[in-house]
Amino acid sequence: MDARLNADAAELAKFSELAHRWWDPDSEFRPLHQINPLRLGWIESLAGPLRGRAVLDVGCGGGILAEAMARQGGDVLGIDLADKPLKVAQLHALEQQVANVRYRAVSAEALADEQPGTFDVVTCMEMLEHVPDPASIVNACARLVKPGGWVMFSTLNRNPKAFLFAIVGAEYVLRLLPRGTHEYRKFIRPSELAGWARQAGLDVRALRGLTYNPLTQRYALASDTSVNYLMATQRGQG
Ligand code: SAH
């Protein structure tokens, strides 16, 4: 792998190993399947209907969000640097006959050099906490979106409660995720993400928490951003 690439080879290998189970709703990817309708609704509630709009999903993995956005009528490109999840995503879209989604193995930074200011909406979900330099991804997303367009992020907050819930709870007690899925020191406080966004020319428009109730086994959008959260940003018109 190119040493200049902003990617962690061990992280990419981890997602490639699990890729064949990506669309199994009872697999390691169950949480992504469960949160998908919530985040899709949240994206459209802010950015407006995706129908007919150019959408980029950065770190798309097996395509759970990318394909759903294409079903909403978006013209979607999904990018990732792990090969197997991309193949799974492509195959699934073919099987499901979702035509308006394409997938490419390219970094966000390289795509931003290649086609800046191209997309109406850029999403980057559950990905920033897996990369060496998340600020560089945020910057690339800002370059990829059109002036006035939306960039939506989601990641994990960094504080003792997030450690307890996202690592101890999710990986050890409830076993929602395989052990070692997340590394605490890579978690990102909303203030840090907001700072990178502003530096890149993105205005923060909304911040929303995503909570999990272990009794009902359901996720919900909430005001509590202490563990999982979503941040909506918009590029200035200038
Ligand atoms: N965004 C998807 C998948 C999240 S899993 C969803 O929310 O449904 C995290 C994904 O980030 C994996 O597919 C992994 O391969 C990808 N990833 C990790 N580092 C990356 C990098 N540097 N560039 C692009 N994708 C990366």
Side-chain angles (χ1 to χ4, degrees), residues 6-8 11-12 15-16 22 29 32 35-36 39 57-65 79-82 85 106-108 124-127 130-132 137 154:
N6 176 21
D8 180 336
E11 288 277 8
L12 300 178
F15 288 105
S16 271
W22 211 287
F29 299 102
L32 295 181
I35 66 175
N36 208 46
R39 59 191 185 179
D57 188 24
V58 176
C60 62
I64 294 172
L65 179 62
I79 64 170
D80 204 289
L81 289 174
V106 61
S107 72
C124 179
M125 305 256 151
E126 315 302 323
M127 181 268 197
H130 298 285
V131 301
I137 303 285
S154 74

Side-chain angles (χ1 to χ4, degrees), residues 105-143:
V106 61
S107 72
E109 289 92 341
L111 191 68
D113 290 341
E114 187 186 307
Q115 45 180 93
T118 306
F119 298 93
D120 297 299
V121 178
V122 176
T123 55
C124 179
M125 305 256 151
E126 315 302 323
M127 181 268 197
L128 291 174
E129 71 276 17
H130 298 285
V131 301
D133 182 359
S136 165
I137 303 285
V138 172
N139 185 273
C141 290
R143 286 192 287 141

